């Protein structure tokens, strides 16, 4: 079984549109949306939830007001500026990291730790195969843990069903959800766009993949918006020994398909779709 | 006054808007790039970076000669950053959230401060814009402490423009938490709308005033605008797709350089949201 994660560094370069299309093209796979705080893959794949489950992780501190003497010990100990005092201690739960230090040292035992319900996760059926996805509640932390969790679910499902491939839509950036999505993958496909920003962010994502000794491939989306930059990116990839699998042209049909809620490869006329088919032909044999 | 430019969805145009807002500001202005994972503001504003500080967080280092292997530090750590086997104790600095609980519980004085570098903070001037950004170290998972360090540089006397990271989880929340007004940049697509709704949900929880800029306004449908109307969220500006803008952006040019005619609109926008 192979695991491929689609990343980009910079947001909005076309990860989800590409994964939606690869979902149509690849056979016998499990799909995973690891962009758990702004998940969009479901908008293309029309999933029917088979199961919905709560994701609980970590704890949040809570003050039992009638036990609190207002001594302020917790305020001084908290490294996250999550506690303030107005007669009794008040906890800003969005700042609370759940370290439990306040509860441990409270002389009145007035702070309790409650398990944190921070999102939902789903196993769904789509026309293109099972999709494991999640929604972290707005403003929550622990996105890395949720990513690790749904990836584990996907792996179990893949073993049960004998899938050959796990195809993962990653988050933008290079931080905790991205690092979590890299665990145990076989390769990274980085989607970039021919701009200074796209290139800058691609370099950081390729550095990250290299840091974890992962093999990367690149594709350049909307390459014809700035062909010289596409060339610069290709040269820079060649220099670091990363193969550029393909270029996808700017194509308004991509947006039209997104509005219809279908992957772009479903459109026979789309030049972008033709390029994506070619990229998949190449990638599947790696 | 702090204006945060955020989006939910990545790649909608936060940086092209926020850098040009900074360029259109009437008085003293500061630009804080809070997307520490992938900072891009410097590509457009081309600041002369004159200061550079390492940004570190405190992590424990255990002096084995003093350690009695009592296990109290391991027990208080909720992040699995300390492991104890019979007579060996190990720390995992990358798991540590710097809560300092272990320092507090150790009665042997066996834990001393060490540090983990999470990135660098760089600052300088871009014309008359005071520029600050954080660059997270590649391989580091936690961007929030660096983001907080960038925000600590906020100049109370200036108009502060915050370029926020994408998403709606903790880095986004930290970036907008002190803003007086939040501009959400979106695109008129189902992805844009879906992520805009999530971002607005957070802002409502924080009772933040917000307005929307629709970028590439003609590449999509009317649902974003209709939704904004229903929710009574002002649409501050609509910028149609323009190949010239896409190309100029790709080269690292600012929006007001490519479209000088937008300058009065951005100036009016600053005035409107500052009021």
């Amino acid at each position: 079984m192979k695991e491929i994660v689609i990343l980009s560094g910079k947001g909005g370069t076309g990860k989800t549109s590409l994964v939606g299309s690869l979902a149509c093209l690849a056979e016998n796979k499990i799909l995973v949306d690891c962009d758990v705080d702004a998940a969009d893959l479901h908008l293309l794949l029309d999933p029917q939830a088979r199961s919905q489950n709560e994701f609980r992780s970590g704890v949040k501190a809570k003050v039992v007001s009638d036990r609190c003497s207002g001594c302020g010990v917790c305020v001084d100990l908290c490294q996250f500026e999550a506690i303030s005092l107005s007669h009794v201690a008040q906890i800003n739960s969005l700042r609370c990291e759940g370290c439990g230090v306040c509860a441990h040292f409270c002389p009145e035992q007035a702070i309790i730790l409650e398990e944190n319900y921070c999102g939902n996760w789903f196993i769904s059926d789509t026309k293109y195969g099972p999709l494991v996805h999640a929604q972290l509640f707005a403003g929550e932390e622990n996105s890395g843990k949720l990513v690790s969790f749904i990836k584990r679910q996907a792996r179990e499902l893949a073993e049960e069903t004998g899938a050959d491939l796990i195809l993962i839509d990653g988050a933008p950036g290079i931080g905790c959800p991205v690092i979590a999505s890299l665990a145990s993958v076989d390769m990274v496909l980085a989607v970039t766009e021919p701009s200074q920003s796209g290139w800058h962010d691609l370099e950081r994502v390729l550095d990250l993949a290299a840091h974890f000794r992962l093999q990367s491939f690149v594709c350049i989306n909307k390459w014809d918006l700035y062909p010289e930059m596409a060339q610069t990116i290709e040269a820079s990839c060649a220099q670091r020994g990363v193969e550029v699998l393909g270029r996808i042209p700017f194509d308004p049909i991509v947006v039209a398909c997104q509005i219809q809620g279908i992957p772009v490869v479903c459109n026979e006329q789309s030049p972008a779709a033709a390029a994506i088919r070619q990229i998949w032909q190449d990638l599947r044999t790696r | 006054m702090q204006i945060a430019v955020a989006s939910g969805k990545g790649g909608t145009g936060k940086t092209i808007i926020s850098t040009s807002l900074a360029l259109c500001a009437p008085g003293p202005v500061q630009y804080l790039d809070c997307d520490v994972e992938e900072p891009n503001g410097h590509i457009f504003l081309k600041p002369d970076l004159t200061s550079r500080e390492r940004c570190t967080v405190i992590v424990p280092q255990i002096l084995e000669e003093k350690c009695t292997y009592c296990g109290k530090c391991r027990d208080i750590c909720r992040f699995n950053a300390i492991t104890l086997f019979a007579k060996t104790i190990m720390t995992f600095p990358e798991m540590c959230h710097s809560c300092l609980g272990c320092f507090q519980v150790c009665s042997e004085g066996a834990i001393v401060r060490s540090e983990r570098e999470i990135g660098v903070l760089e600052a300088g001037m871009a014309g008359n814009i005071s520029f600050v950004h954080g660059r997270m170290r590649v391989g580091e998972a936690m961007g929030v402490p660096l983001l907080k360090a960038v925000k600590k540089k906020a100049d109370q006397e200036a108009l502060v423009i915050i370029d926020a990271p994408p998403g709606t989880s903790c880095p986004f929340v930290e970036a907008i938490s002190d803003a007086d007004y939040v501009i959400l940049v979106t695109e008129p697509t189902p992805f844009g709308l879906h992520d805009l709704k999530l971002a607005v949900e957070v802002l409502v929880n924080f009772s933040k005033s917000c307005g929307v800029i629709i970028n590439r306004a003609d590449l999509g449908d009317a649902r974003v605008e209709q939704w904004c109307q229903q929710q009574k969220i002002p649409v501050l500006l609509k910028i149609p797709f323009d190949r010239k803008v896409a190309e100029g952006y790709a080269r690292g040019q600012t929006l007001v350089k490519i479209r000088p005619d937008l300058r009065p609109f951005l100036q009016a926008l600053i005035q409107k949201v500052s009021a």
Side-chain angles (χ1 to χ4, degrees):
Chain A
M1 184 174 47
K2 200 150 75 174
E3 279 188 40
I4 304 177
V5 63
I6 318 298
L7 296 176
S8 66
K10 178 167 166 23
T13 60
K15 280 183 299 298
T16 303
S17 294
L18 180 65
V19 173
S21 283
L22 296 183
C24 298
L25 298 170
E27 281 160 15
N28 195 21
K29 76 280 167 186
I30 306 288
L31 302 159
V32 193
D33 191 346
C34 283
D35 188 357
V36 294
D37 60 306
D40 287 335
L41 189 57
H42 64 284
L43 299 172
L44 291 182
L45 303 182
D46 186 27
Q48 307 299 315
R50 202 193 286 177
S51 68
Q52 172 175 336
N53 312 275
E54 293 179 355
F55 177 69
R56 292 174 186 274
S57 175
V59 294
K60 294 275 179 186
K62 198 181 153 194
V63 177
V64 183
S65 300
D66 52 357
R67 280 193 223 155
C68 177
S69 67
C71 68
V73 165
C74 56
V75 179
D76 296 339
L77 285 170
C78 179
Q79 297 300 309
F80 309 105
E81 295 165 7
I83 315 182
S84 56
L85 211 57
S86 61
H87 305 296
V88 295
Q90 311 274 336
I91 293 173
N92 175 344
S93 68
L94 280 165
R95 285 188 168 260
C96 175
E97 298 216 5
C99 67
V101 172
C102 54
H104 185 93
F105 286 100
C106 174
E108 316 296 336
Q109 273 116 49
I111 300 181
I112 53 171
L113 300 175
E114 287 188 334
E115 196 185 29
N116 189 25
Y117 172 30
C118 44
N120 291 316
W121 66 276
F122 313 85
I123 296 180
S124 298
D125 289 306
T126 77
K127 233 159 92 181
Y128 315 103
L131 168 68
V132 185
H133 53 132
Q135 183 63 60
L136 190 71
F137 295 146
E140 282 290 341
E141 49 186 314
N142 287 329
S143 57
K145 282 190 180 159
L146 180 51
V147 166
S148 302
F149 182 85
I150 61 170
K151 278 195 64 189
R152 209 157 52 232
Q153 299 304 318
R155 225 168 288 134
E156 280 172 18
L157 192 61
E159 274 160 21
E160 265 168 44
T161 59
D164 302 321
L165 173 69
I166 299 179
L167 195 58
I168 304 159
D169 190 5
I174 56 166
C176 80
V178 174
I179 291 175
S181 71
L182 287 175
S184 78
V185 303
D186 297 285
M187 58 177 79
V188 174
L189 175 60
V191 190
T192 189
E193 58 175 36
S195 66
Q196 293 279 358
S197 310
W199 183 28
H200 173 270
D201 297 356
L202 173 71
E203 293 281 317
R204 281 167 69 81
V205 101
L206 293 177
D207 284 346
L208 184 71
H211 178 87
F212 291 109
R213 298 193 177 81
L214 292 169
Q215 189 183 19
S216 298
F217 296 95
V218 166
C219 69
I220 306 177
N221 194 13
K222 304 184 244 188
W223 73 271
D224 48 340
L225 283 183
Y226 189 8
E228 297 91 322
M229 179 55 77
Q231 213 143 29
T232 307
I233 291 174
E234 286 193 354
S236 132
C237 286
Q239 220 167 34
R240 57 158 83 218
V242 170
E243 193 179 345
V244 176
L245 285 185
R247 293 172 161 195
I248 304 168
F250 175 73
D251 178 359
I253 297 175
V254 176
V255 173
C257 285
Q258 197 194 110
I259 285 167
Q260 288 174 50
I262 54 169
V264 67
V265 284
C266 298
N267 184 302
E268 294 293 327
Q269 270 79 50
S270 159
I276 293 170
R277 282 190 205 101
Q278 193 57 52
I279 288 168
W280 176 241
Q281 278 309 320
D282 259 13
L283 188 65
R284 65 185 304 182
T285 58
R286 304 301 164 128
Chain B
M1 176 79 192
Q2 270 196 18
I3 302 174
V5 181
S7 71
K9 176 165 166 26
T12 56
K14 283 181 297 299
T15 301
I16 199 168
I17 298 290
S18 53
T19 48
S20 276
L21 282 175
L23 287 163
C24 290
V29 60
Q30 189 181 36
Y31 169 88
L32 303 181
D33 194 341
C34 286
D35 187 358
V36 300
E37 295 181 33
E38 298 289 16
N40 289 152
H42 65 281
I43 292 172
F44 300 91
L45 292 175
K46 303 177 175 63
D48 180 17
L49 295 171
T50 47
S51 87
R52 183 185 161 94
E53 304 163 32
R54 287 166 70 235
C55 181
T56 60
V57 292
I58 298 167
V59 297
Q61 186 192 339
I62 296 174
L63 305 174
E64 290 240 26
E65 65 275 18
K66 289 194 180 173
C67 180
T68 59
Y69 309 103
C70 69
K72 282 189 224 157
C73 56
R74 174 203 55 197
D75 296 342
I76 198 168
C77 180
R78 303 190 70 94
F79 307 108
N80 304 317
I82 303 178
T83 306
L84 177 65
F85 316 90
K87 296 273 176 222
T88 311
I89 188 153
M90 282 174 78
T91 61
F92 298 93
E94 66 282 3
M95 308 288 281
C96 176
H97 284 226
S98 308
C99 71
L100 309 190
C102 54
F103 292 82
Q104 297 289 343
V105 291
C106 180
S107 44
E108 311 299 325
I111 303 185
V112 293
R113 289 183 176 214
S114 177
E115 48 187 36
R116 176 176 95 233
E117 179 166 341
I118 54 171
V120 293
L121 198 67
E122 294 175 315
M125 295 301 290
N128 48 18
I129 302 167
S130 157
F131 177 102
V132 185
H133 74 183
R135 294 179 67 80
M136 191 166 91
R137 178 175 61 79
V138 172
E140 170 62 47
M142 292 174 211
V144 171
L146 178 57
L147 201 163
K148 284 183 178 167
V150 173
K151 278 180 56 197
K152 281 223 166 81
K153 299 283 180 190
D155 176 357
Q156 303 302 326
E157 306 302 314
L159 171 67
V160 179
I161 307 283
I162 289 186
D163 192 352
T168 53
S169 64
C170 45
F172 163 79
V173 168
E174 186 57 44
I176 57 105
S177 63
D178 298 321
D180 300 293
Y181 194 93
V182 181
I183 295 173
L184 293 168
V185 185
T186 189
E187 57 181 37
T189 61
F191 293 179
L193 177 59
H194 177 263
D195 298 352
L196 174 67
K197 287 179 181 172
L198 294 173
V200 168
E201 192 187 323
V202 179
L203 299 180
V204 168
N205 278 336
F206 280 83
S207 317
K208 295 279 177 199
S209 312
C210 68
V212 167
I213 293 180
I214 305 178
N215 195 13
R216 301 187 280 266
D218 48 347
L219 284 189
D221 61 14
R223 279 178 283 179
V224 165
E225 207 172 350
Q226 285 163 359
W227 185 79
C228 289
Q229 266 166 11
Q230 279 163 17
Q231 303 293 316
K232 301 195 168 47
I233 298 168
V235 174
L236 303 164
L237 190 64
K238 290 194 276 183
I239 306 173
F241 176 76
D242 179 347
R243 225 183 153 99
K244 216 172 63 195
V245 174
E247 284 168 8
Y249 166 83
R251 292 186 156 79
Q253 287 172 356
T254 62
L255 184 60
V256 286
K257 165 116 201 257
I258 313 162
R259 291 274 313 269
D261 58 303
L262 283 175
R263 188 177 274 273
F265 292 97
L266 293 175
Q267 281 164 340
L269 197 155
I270 293 173
Q271 222 162 28
K272 185 176 167 187
V273 306
S274 309

